[in-house]
mmCIF file with all atom_site columns, all heavy atoms in Angstrom:
data_model
loop_
_atom_site.group_PDB
_atom_site.id
_atom_site.type_symbol
_atom_site.label_atom_id
_atom_site.label_alt_id
_atom_site.label_comp_id
_atom_site.label_asym_id
_atom_site.label_entity_id
_atom_site.label_seq_id
_atom_site.pdbx_PDB_ins_code
_atom_site.Cartn_x
_atom_site.Cartn_y
_atom_site.Cartn_z
_atom_site.occupancy
_atom_site.B_iso_or_equiv
_atom_site.pdbx_formal_charge
_atom_site.auth_seq_id
_atom_site.auth_comp_id
_atom_site.auth_asym_id
_atom_site.auth_atom_id
_atom_site.pdbx_PDB_model_num
ATOM 1   N N   . ASN A 1 1  ? -14.161 4.553   -1.823 1.00 98.00 ? 1  ASN A N   1
ATOM 2   C CA  . ASN A 1 1  ? -13.800 5.533   -2.844 1.00 98.00 ? 1  ASN A CA  1
ATOM 3   C C   . ASN A 1 1  ? -12.329 5.379   -3.205 1.00 98.00 ? 1  ASN A C   1
ATOM 4   O O   . ASN A 1 1  ? -11.618 4.538   -2.643 1.00 98.00 ? 1  ASN A O   1
ATOM 5   C CB  . ASN A 1 1  ? -14.096 6.946   -2.342 1.00 98.00 ? 1  ASN A CB  1
ATOM 6   C CG  . ASN A 1 1  ? -13.463 7.214   -0.984 1.00 98.00 ? 1  ASN A CG  1
ATOM 7   O OD1 . ASN A 1 1  ? -12.300 6.904   -0.747 1.00 98.00 ? 1  ASN A OD1 1
ATOM 8   N ND2 . ASN A 1 1  ? -14.228 7.788   -0.064 1.00 98.00 ? 1  ASN A ND2 1
ATOM 9   N N   . GLY A 1 2  ? -11.885 6.197   -4.150 1.00 98.00 ? 2  GLY A N   1
ATOM 10  C CA  . GLY A 1 2  ? -10.522 6.093   -4.620 1.00 98.00 ? 2  GLY A CA  1
ATOM 11  C C   . GLY A 1 2  ? -9.478  6.311   -3.543 1.00 98.00 ? 2  GLY A C   1
ATOM 12  O O   . GLY A 1 2  ? -8.440  5.651   -3.520 1.00 98.00 ? 2  GLY A O   1
ATOM 13  N N   . GLU A 1 3  ? -9.755  7.237   -2.647 1.00 98.00 ? 3  GLU A N   1
ATOM 14  C CA  . GLU A 1 3  ? -8.800  7.515   -1.573 1.00 98.00 ? 3  GLU A CA  1
ATOM 15  C C   . GLU A 1 3  ? -8.604  6.298   -0.677 1.00 98.00 ? 3  GLU A C   1
ATOM 16  O O   . GLU A 1 3  ? -7.471  5.953   -0.318 1.00 98.00 ? 3  GLU A O   1
ATOM 17  C CB  . GLU A 1 3  ? -9.289  8.707   -0.743 1.00 98.00 ? 3  GLU A CB  1
ATOM 18  C CG  . GLU A 1 3  ? -8.312  9.130   0.341  1.00 98.00 ? 3  GLU A CG  1
ATOM 19  C CD  . GLU A 1 3  ? -8.762  10.372  1.090  1.00 98.00 ? 3  GLU A CD  1
ATOM 20  O OE1 . GLU A 1 3  ? -9.858  10.895  0.771  1.00 98.00 ? 3  GLU A OE1 1
ATOM 21  O OE2 . GLU A 1 3  ? -8.021  10.820  1.972  1.00 98.00 ? 3  GLU A OE2 1
ATOM 22  N N   . GLU A 1 4  ? -9.695  5.616   -0.322 1.00 98.00 ? 4  GLU A N   1
ATOM 23  C CA  . GLU A 1 4  ? -9.593  4.418   0.507  1.00 98.00 ? 4  GLU A CA  1
ATOM 24  C C   . GLU A 1 4  ? -8.924  3.281   -0.254 1.00 98.00 ? 4  GLU A C   1
ATOM 25  O O   . GLU A 1 4  ? -8.128  2.527   0.313  1.00 98.00 ? 4  GLU A O   1
ATOM 26  C CB  . GLU A 1 4  ? -10.978 3.984   0.994  1.00 98.00 ? 4  GLU A CB  1
ATOM 27  C CG  . GLU A 1 4  ? -11.576 4.919   2.026  1.00 98.00 ? 4  GLU A CG  1
ATOM 28  C CD  . GLU A 1 4  ? -12.895 4.405   2.577  1.00 98.00 ? 4  GLU A CD  1
ATOM 29  O OE1 . GLU A 1 4  ? -13.336 3.308   2.175  1.00 98.00 ? 4  GLU A OE1 1
ATOM 30  O OE2 . GLU A 1 4  ? -13.491 5.109   3.413  1.00 98.00 ? 4  GLU A OE2 1
ATOM 31  N N   . LEU A 1 5  ? -9.239  3.141   -1.536 1.00 98.00 ? 5  LEU A N   1
ATOM 32  C CA  . LEU A 1 5  ? -8.605  2.096   -2.342 1.00 98.00 ? 5  LEU A CA  1
ATOM 33  C C   . LEU A 1 5  ? -7.096  2.289   -2.358 1.00 98.00 ? 5  LEU A C   1
ATOM 34  O O   . LEU A 1 5  ? -6.331  1.336   -2.143 1.00 98.00 ? 5  LEU A O   1
ATOM 35  C CB  . LEU A 1 5  ? -9.174  2.117   -3.757 1.00 98.00 ? 5  LEU A CB  1
ATOM 36  C CG  . LEU A 1 5  ? -8.648  1.068   -4.745 1.00 98.00 ? 5  LEU A CG  1
ATOM 37  C CD1 . LEU A 1 5  ? -9.731  0.690   -5.752 1.00 98.00 ? 5  LEU A CD1 1
ATOM 38  C CD2 . LEU A 1 5  ? -7.405  1.568   -5.501 1.00 98.00 ? 5  LEU A CD2 1
ATOM 39  N N   . GLU A 1 6  ? -6.641  3.503   -2.598 1.00 98.00 ? 6  GLU A N   1
ATOM 40  C CA  . GLU A 1 6  ? -5.209  3.773   -2.639 1.00 98.00 ? 6  GLU A CA  1
ATOM 41  C C   . GLU A 1 6  ? -4.557  3.507   -1.284 1.00 98.00 ? 6  GLU A C   1
ATOM 42  O O   . GLU A 1 6  ? -3.496  2.867   -1.204 1.00 98.00 ? 6  GLU A O   1
ATOM 43  C CB  . GLU A 1 6  ? -4.954  5.224   -3.050 1.00 98.00 ? 6  GLU A CB  1
ATOM 44  C CG  . GLU A 1 6  ? -3.470  5.564   -3.108 1.00 98.00 ? 6  GLU A CG  1
ATOM 45  C CD  . GLU A 1 6  ? -3.194  7.019   -3.428 1.00 98.00 ? 6  GLU A CD  1
ATOM 46  O OE1 . GLU A 1 6  ? -4.071  7.879   -3.150 1.00 98.00 ? 6  GLU A OE1 1
ATOM 47  O OE2 . GLU A 1 6  ? -2.097  7.304   -3.946 1.00 98.00 ? 6  GLU A OE2 1
ATOM 48  N N   . ARG A 1 7  ? -5.195  3.964   -0.217 1.00 98.00 ? 7  ARG A N   1
ATOM 49  C CA  . ARG A 1 7  ? -4.611  3.787   1.110  1.00 98.00 ? 7  ARG A CA  1
ATOM 50  C C   . ARG A 1 7  ? -4.464  2.308   1.455  1.00 98.00 ? 7  ARG A C   1
ATOM 51  O O   . ARG A 1 7  ? -3.406  1.876   1.939  1.00 98.00 ? 7  ARG A O   1
ATOM 52  C CB  . ARG A 1 7  ? -5.486  4.478   2.164  1.00 98.00 ? 7  ARG A CB  1
ATOM 53  C CG  . ARG A 1 7  ? -5.020  4.237   3.602  1.00 98.00 ? 7  ARG A CG  1
ATOM 54  C CD  . ARG A 1 7  ? -5.862  5.013   4.587  1.00 98.00 ? 7  ARG A CD  1
ATOM 55  N NE  . ARG A 1 7  ? -7.279  4.763   4.428  1.00 98.00 ? 7  ARG A NE  1
ATOM 56  C CZ  . ARG A 1 7  ? -7.903  3.673   4.891  1.00 98.00 ? 7  ARG A CZ  1
ATOM 57  N NH1 . ARG A 1 7  ? -7.212  2.728   5.525  1.00 98.00 ? 7  ARG A NH1 1
ATOM 58  N NH2 . ARG A 1 7  ? -9.203  3.528   4.732  1.00 98.00 ? 7  ARG A NH2 1
ATOM 59  N N   . ILE A 1 8  ? -5.492  1.520   1.179  1.00 98.00 ? 8  ILE A N   1
ATOM 60  C CA  . ILE A 1 8  ? -5.439  0.090   1.502  1.00 98.00 ? 8  ILE A CA  1
ATOM 61  C C   . ILE A 1 8  ? -4.360  -0.609  0.685  1.00 98.00 ? 8  ILE A C   1
ATOM 62  O O   . ILE A 1 8  ? -3.572  -1.398  1.215  1.00 98.00 ? 8  ILE A O   1
ATOM 63  C CB  . ILE A 1 8  ? -6.814  -0.561  1.282  1.00 98.00 ? 8  ILE A CB  1
ATOM 64  C CG1 . ILE A 1 8  ? -7.822  -0.030  2.296  1.00 98.00 ? 8  ILE A CG1 1
ATOM 65  C CG2 . ILE A 1 8  ? -6.717  -2.085  1.400  1.00 98.00 ? 8  ILE A CG2 1
ATOM 66  C CD1 . ILE A 1 8  ? -9.262  -0.413  1.992  1.00 98.00 ? 8  ILE A CD1 1
ATOM 67  N N   . LEU A 1 9  ? -4.311  -0.320  -0.615 1.00 98.00 ? 9  LEU A N   1
ATOM 68  C CA  . LEU A 1 9  ? -3.312  -0.962  -1.462 1.00 98.00 ? 9  LEU A CA  1
ATOM 69  C C   . LEU A 1 9  ? -1.898  -0.604  -1.036 1.00 98.00 ? 9  LEU A C   1
ATOM 70  O O   . LEU A 1 9  ? -1.014  -1.471  -0.986 1.00 98.00 ? 9  LEU A O   1
ATOM 71  C CB  . LEU A 1 9  ? -3.525  -0.566  -2.921 1.00 98.00 ? 9  LEU A CB  1
ATOM 72  C CG  . LEU A 1 9  ? -4.563  -1.341  -3.724 1.00 98.00 ? 9  LEU A CG  1
ATOM 73  C CD1 . LEU A 1 9  ? -4.595  -0.844  -5.165 1.00 98.00 ? 9  LEU A CD1 1
ATOM 74  C CD2 . LEU A 1 9  ? -4.294  -2.844  -3.695 1.00 98.00 ? 9  LEU A CD2 1
ATOM 75  N N   . MET A 1 10 ? -1.676  0.667   -0.716 1.00 97.00 ? 10 MET A N   1
ATOM 76  C CA  . MET A 1 10 ? -0.328  1.096   -0.354 1.00 97.00 ? 10 MET A CA  1
ATOM 77  C C   . MET A 1 10 ? 0.108   0.582   1.014  1.00 97.00 ? 10 MET A C   1
ATOM 78  O O   . MET A 1 10 ? 1.295   0.568   1.336  1.00 97.00 ? 10 MET A O   1
ATOM 79  C CB  . MET A 1 10 ? -0.232  2.623   -0.413 1.00 97.00 ? 10 MET A CB  1
ATOM 80  C CG  . MET A 1 10 ? -0.333  3.202   -1.816 1.00 97.00 ? 10 MET A CG  1
ATOM 81  S SD  . MET A 1 10 ? 0.899   2.521   -2.981 1.00 97.00 ? 10 MET A SD  1
ATOM 82  C CE  . MET A 1 10 ? -0.123  1.335   -3.891 1.00 97.00 ? 10 MET A CE  1
ATOM 83  N N   . GLN A 1 11 ? -0.855  0.160   1.830  1.00 95.00 ? 11 GLN A N   1
ATOM 84  C CA  . GLN A 1 11 ? -0.522  -0.511  3.087  1.00 95.00 ? 11 GLN A CA  1
ATOM 85  C C   . GLN A 1 11 ? -0.338  -2.009  2.882  1.00 95.00 ? 11 GLN A C   1
ATOM 86  O O   . GLN A 1 11 ? 0.518   -2.639  3.498  1.00 95.00 ? 11 GLN A O   1
ATOM 87  C CB  . GLN A 1 11 ? -1.628  -0.266  4.119  1.00 95.00 ? 11 GLN A CB  1
ATOM 88  C CG  . GLN A 1 11 ? -1.723  1.170   4.604  1.00 95.00 ? 11 GLN A CG  1
ATOM 89  C CD  . GLN A 1 11 ? -2.915  1.407   5.509  1.00 95.00 ? 11 GLN A CD  1
ATOM 90  O OE1 . GLN A 1 11 ? -3.824  0.573   5.597  1.00 95.00 ? 11 GLN A OE1 1
ATOM 91  N NE2 . GLN A 1 11 ? -2.947  2.554   6.159  1.00 95.00 ? 11 GLN A NE2 1
ATOM 92  N N   . LEU A 1 12 ? -1.136  -2.561  1.972  1.00 96.00 ? 12 LEU A N   1
ATOM 93  C CA  . LEU A 1 12 ? -1.167  -4.010  1.789  1.00 96.00 ? 12 LEU A CA  1
ATOM 94  C C   . LEU A 1 12 ? -0.012  -4.532  0.953  1.00 96.00 ? 12 LEU A C   1
ATOM 95  O O   . LEU A 1 12 ? 0.620   -5.544  1.304  1.00 96.00 ? 12 LEU A O   1
ATOM 96  C CB  . LEU A 1 12 ? -2.506  -4.406  1.148  1.00 96.00 ? 12 LEU A CB  1
ATOM 97  C CG  . LEU A 1 12 ? -2.802  -5.898  0.962  1.00 96.00 ? 12 LEU A CG  1
ATOM 98  C CD1 . LEU A 1 12 ? -2.742  -6.631  2.294  1.00 96.00 ? 12 LEU A CD1 1
ATOM 99  C CD2 . LEU A 1 12 ? -4.171  -6.064  0.307  1.00 96.00 ? 12 LEU A CD2 1
ATOM 100 N N   . ILE A 1 13 ? 0.290   -3.862  -0.156 1.00 96.00 ? 13 ILE A N   1
ATOM 101 C CA  . ILE A 1 13 ? 1.299   -4.371  -1.087 1.00 96.00 ? 13 ILE A CA  1
ATOM 102 C C   . ILE A 1 13 ? 2.662   -4.574  -0.428 1.00 96.00 ? 13 ILE A C   1
ATOM 103 O O   . ILE A 1 13 ? 3.266   -5.648  -0.572 1.00 96.00 ? 13 ILE A O   1
ATOM 104 C CB  . ILE A 1 13 ? 1.413   -3.451  -2.324 1.00 96.00 ? 13 ILE A CB  1
ATOM 105 C CG1 . ILE A 1 13 ? 0.145   -3.569  -3.173 1.00 96.00 ? 13 ILE A CG1 1
ATOM 106 C CG2 . ILE A 1 13 ? 2.638   -3.813  -3.161 1.00 96.00 ? 13 ILE A CG2 1
ATOM 107 C CD1 . ILE A 1 13 ? 0.052   -2.543  -4.290 1.00 96.00 ? 13 ILE A CD1 1
ATOM 108 N N   . PRO A 1 14 ? 3.212   -3.591  0.322  1.00 94.00 ? 14 PRO A N   1
ATOM 109 C CA  . PRO A 1 14 ? 4.527   -3.808  0.935  1.00 94.00 ? 14 PRO A CA  1
ATOM 110 C C   . PRO A 1 14 ? 4.551   -4.978  1.918  1.00 94.00 ? 14 PRO A C   1
ATOM 111 O O   . PRO A 1 14 ? 5.587   -5.649  2.053  1.00 94.00 ? 14 PRO A O   1
ATOM 112 C CB  . PRO A 1 14 ? 4.798   -2.477  1.658  1.00 94.00 ? 14 PRO A CB  1
ATOM 113 C CG  . PRO A 1 14 ? 3.992   -1.483  0.902  1.00 94.00 ? 14 PRO A CG  1
ATOM 114 C CD  . PRO A 1 14 ? 2.737   -2.211  0.521  1.00 94.00 ? 14 PRO A CD  1
ATOM 115 N N   . THR A 1 15 ? 3.428   -5.246  2.592  1.00 92.00 ? 15 THR A N   1
ATOM 116 C CA  . THR A 1 15 ? 3.409   -6.373  3.536  1.00 92.00 ? 15 THR A CA  1
ATOM 117 C C   . THR A 1 15 ? 3.453   -7.709  2.818  1.00 92.00 ? 15 THR A C   1
ATOM 118 O O   . THR A 1 15 ? 3.848   -8.719  3.420  1.00 92.00 ? 15 THR A O   1
ATOM 119 C CB  . THR A 1 15 ? 2.149   -6.324  4.421  1.00 92.00 ? 15 THR A CB  1
ATOM 120 O OG1 . THR A 1 15 ? 0.981   -6.574  3.618  1.00 92.00 ? 15 THR A OG1 1
ATOM 121 C CG2 . THR A 1 15 ? 1.998   -4.974  5.098  1.00 92.00 ? 15 THR A CG2 1
ATOM 122 N N   . LEU A 1 16 ? 3.043   -7.734  1.559  1.00 92.00 ? 16 LEU A N   1
ATOM 123 C CA  . LEU A 1 16 ? 3.085   -8.974  0.788  1.00 92.00 ? 16 LEU A CA  1
ATOM 124 C C   . LEU A 1 16 ? 4.418   -9.164  0.080  1.00 92.00 ? 16 LEU A C   1
ATOM 125 O O   . LEU A 1 16 ? 4.724   -10.258 -0.387 1.00 92.00 ? 16 LEU A O   1
ATOM 126 C CB  . LEU A 1 16 ? 1.947   -8.988  -0.244 1.00 92.00 ? 16 LEU A CB  1
ATOM 127 C CG  . LEU A 1 16 ? 0.535   -8.892  0.323  1.00 92.00 ? 16 LEU A CG  1
ATOM 128 C CD1 . LEU A 1 16 ? -0.492  -8.900  -0.805 1.00 92.00 ? 16 LEU A CD1 1
ATOM 129 C CD2 . LEU A 1 16 ? 0.257   -10.020 1.303  1.00 92.00 ? 16 LEU A CD2 1
ATOM 130 N N   . MET A 1 17 ? 5.185   -8.083  -0.010 1.00 87.00 ? 17 MET A N   1
ATOM 131 C CA  . MET A 1 17 ? 6.510   -8.145  -0.613 1.00 87.00 ? 17 MET A CA  1
ATOM 132 C C   . MET A 1 17 ? 7.555   -8.288  0.489  1.00 87.00 ? 17 MET A C   1
ATOM 133 O O   . MET A 1 17 ? 7.238   -8.572  1.636  1.00 87.00 ? 17 MET A O   1
ATOM 134 C CB  . MET A 1 17 ? 6.750   -6.897  -1.462 1.00 87.00 ? 17 MET A CB  1
ATOM 135 C CG  . MET A 1 17 ? 5.853   -6.812  -2.688 1.00 87.00 ? 17 MET A CG  1
ATOM 136 S SD  . MET A 1 17 ? 6.195   -5.329  -3.683 1.00 87.00 ? 17 MET A SD  1
ATOM 137 C CE  . MET A 1 17 ? 5.369   -5.768  -5.207 1.00 87.00 ? 17 MET A CE  1
ATOM 138 N N   . SER A 1 18 ? 8.785   -8.079  0.153  1.00 69.00 ? 18 SER A N   1
ATOM 139 C CA  . SER A 1 18 ? 9.847   -8.204  1.149  1.00 69.00 ? 18 SER A CA  1
ATOM 140 C C   . SER A 1 18 ? 9.767   -7.064  2.151  1.00 69.00 ? 18 SER A C   1
ATOM 141 O O   . SER A 1 18 ? 9.280   -5.977  1.840  1.00 69.00 ? 18 SER A O   1
ATOM 142 C CB  . SER A 1 18 ? 11.210  -8.188  0.459  1.00 69.00 ? 18 SER A CB  1
ATOM 143 O OG  . SER A 1 18 ? 11.481  -6.908  -0.062 1.00 69.00 ? 18 SER A OG  1
ATOM 144 N N   . PRO A 1 19 ? 10.226  -7.285  3.366  1.00 45.00 ? 19 PRO A N   1
ATOM 145 C CA  . PRO A 1 19 ? 10.187  -6.227  4.390  1.00 45.00 ? 19 PRO A CA  1
ATOM 146 C C   . PRO A 1 19 ? 10.946  -4.976  3.989  1.00 45.00 ? 19 PRO A C   1
ATOM 147 O O   . PRO A 1 19 ? 10.696  -3.899  4.525  1.00 45.00 ? 19 PRO A O   1
ATOM 148 C CB  . PRO A 1 19 ? 10.842  -6.893  5.609  1.00 45.00 ? 19 PRO A CB  1
ATOM 149 C CG  . PRO A 1 19 ? 10.705  -8.366  5.367  1.00 45.00 ? 19 PRO A CG  1
ATOM 150 C CD  . PRO A 1 19 ? 10.795  -8.533  3.880  1.00 45.00 ? 19 PRO A CD  1
ATOM 151 N N   . THR A 1 20 ? 11.870  -5.090  3.038  1.00 50.00 ? 20 THR A N   1
ATOM 152 C CA  . THR A 1 20 ? 12.673  -3.932  2.634  1.00 50.00 ? 20 THR A CA  1
ATOM 153 C C   . THR A 1 20 ? 12.025  -3.144  1.506  1.00 50.00 ? 20 THR A C   1
ATOM 154 O O   . THR A 1 20 ? 12.562  -2.119  1.078  1.00 50.00 ? 20 THR A O   1
ATOM 155 C CB  . THR A 1 20 ? 14.067  -4.383  2.168  1.00 50.00 ? 20 THR A CB  1
ATOM 156 O OG1 . THR A 1 20 ? 13.917  -5.310  1.068  1.00 50.00 ? 20 THR A OG1 1
ATOM 157 C CG2 . THR A 1 20 ? 14.808  -5.065  3.312  1.00 50.00 ? 20 THR A CG2 1
ATOM 158 N N   . ALA A 1 21 ? 10.851  -3.612  1.009  1.00 46.00 ? 21 ALA A N   1
ATOM 159 C CA  . ALA A 1 21 ? 10.199  -2.891  -0.086 1.00 46.00 ? 21 ALA A CA  1
ATOM 160 C C   . ALA A 1 21 ? 9.734   -1.534  0.395  1.00 46.00 ? 21 ALA A C   1
ATOM 161 O O   . ALA A 1 21 ? 9.277   -1.378  1.523  1.00 46.00 ? 21 ALA A O   1
ATOM 162 C CB  . ALA A 1 21 ? 9.003   -3.695  -0.593 1.00 46.00 ? 21 ALA A CB  1
ATOM 163 N N   . PRO A 1 22 ? 9.828   -0.500  -0.423 1.00 48.00 ? 22 PRO A N   1
ATOM 164 C CA  . PRO A 1 22 ? 9.357   0.838   -0.014 1.00 48.00 ? 22 PRO A CA  1
ATOM 165 C C   . PRO A 1 22 ? 7.856   0.826   0.202  1.00 48.00 ? 22 PRO A C   1
ATOM 166 O O   . PRO A 1 22 ? 7.117   0.112   -0.463 1.00 48.00 ? 22 PRO A O   1
ATOM 167 C CB  . PRO A 1 22 ? 9.733   1.720   -1.209 1.00 48.00 ? 22 PRO A CB  1
ATOM 168 C CG  . PRO A 1 22 ? 9.851   0.777   -2.362 1.00 48.00 ? 22 PRO A CG  1
ATOM 169 C CD  . PRO A 1 22 ? 10.367  -0.505  -1.779 1.00 48.00 ? 22 PRO A CD  1
ATOM 170 N N   . SER A 1 23 ? 7.392   1.622   1.159  1.00 45.00 ? 23 SER A N   1
ATOM 171 C CA  . SER A 1 23 ? 5.970   1.619   1.515  1.00 45.00 ? 23 SER A CA  1
ATOM 172 C C   . SER A 1 23 ? 5.137   2.423   0.540  1.00 45.00 ? 23 SER A C   1
ATOM 173 O O   . SER A 1 23 ? 3.940   2.225   0.432  1.00 45.00 ? 23 SER A O   1
ATOM 174 C CB  . SER A 1 23 ? 5.794   2.195   2.924  1.00 45.00 ? 23 SER A CB  1
ATOM 175 O OG  . SER A 1 23 ? 6.290   3.521   2.986  1.00 45.00 ? 23 SER A OG  1
ATOM 176 N N   . PHE A 1 24 ? 5.747   3.345   -0.202 1.00 45.00 ? 24 PHE A N   1
ATOM 177 C CA  . PHE A 1 24 ? 4.966   4.142   -1.153 1.00 45.00 ? 24 PHE A CA  1
ATOM 178 C C   . PHE A 1 24 ? 5.885   4.724   -2.217 1.00 45.00 ? 24 PHE A C   1
ATOM 179 O O   . PHE A 1 24 ? 6.906   5.300   -1.916 1.00 45.00 ? 24 PHE A O   1
ATOM 180 C CB  . PHE A 1 24 ? 4.252   5.288   -0.441 1.00 45.00 ? 24 PHE A CB  1
ATOM 181 C CG  . PHE A 1 24 ? 3.355   6.077   -1.364 1.00 45.00 ? 24 PHE A CG  1
ATOM 182 C CD1 . PHE A 1 24 ? 2.049   5.675   -1.577 1.00 45.00 ? 24 PHE A CD1 1
ATOM 183 C CD2 . PHE A 1 24 ? 3.829   7.191   -2.027 1.00 45.00 ? 24 PHE A CD2 1
ATOM 184 C CE1 . PHE A 1 24 ? 1.225   6.399   -2.428 1.00 45.00 ? 24 PHE A CE1 1
ATOM 185 C CE2 . PHE A 1 24 ? 3.013   7.909   -2.881 1.00 45.00 ? 24 PHE A CE2 1
ATOM 186 C CZ  . PHE A 1 24 ? 1.709   7.518   -3.082 1.00 45.00 ? 24 PHE A CZ  1
ATOM 187 N N   . ILE A 1 25 ? 5.485   4.528   -3.463 1.00 43.00 ? 25 ILE A N   1
ATOM 188 C CA  . ILE A 1 25 ? 6.196   5.135   -4.581 1.00 43.00 ? 25 ILE A CA  1
ATOM 189 C C   . ILE A 1 25 ? 5.159   5.686   -5.534 1.00 43.00 ? 25 ILE A C   1
ATOM 190 O O   . ILE A 1 25 ? 4.164   5.043   -5.809 1.00 43.00 ? 25 ILE A O   1
ATOM 191 C CB  . ILE A 1 25 ? 7.078   4.103   -5.331 1.00 43.00 ? 25 ILE A CB  1
ATOM 192 C CG1 . ILE A 1 25 ? 8.160   3.540   -4.408 1.00 43.00 ? 25 ILE A CG1 1
ATOM 193 C CG2 . ILE A 1 25 ? 7.699   4.714   -6.577 1.00 43.00 ? 25 ILE A CG2 1
ATOM 194 C CD1 . ILE A 1 25 ? 9.025   2.483   -5.062 1.00 43.00 ? 25 ILE A CD1 1
#
């Protein structure tokens, strides 16, 4: 569902970017 999609993306995206990227905006 949407809640799981958002949670996974917000965990996944920062790990693919630089370590200093914010975890949620």
Side-chain angles (χ1 to χ4, degrees):
N1 52 46
E3 184 176 1
E4 289 185 1
L5 181 149
E6 180 184 25
R7 175 176 53 79
I8 293 169
L9 277 182
M10 292 304 101
Q11 291 174 347
L12 185 58
I13 291 171
T15 68
L16 300 179
M17 293 181 164
S18 69
T20 58
S23 59
F24 184 87
I25 298 178

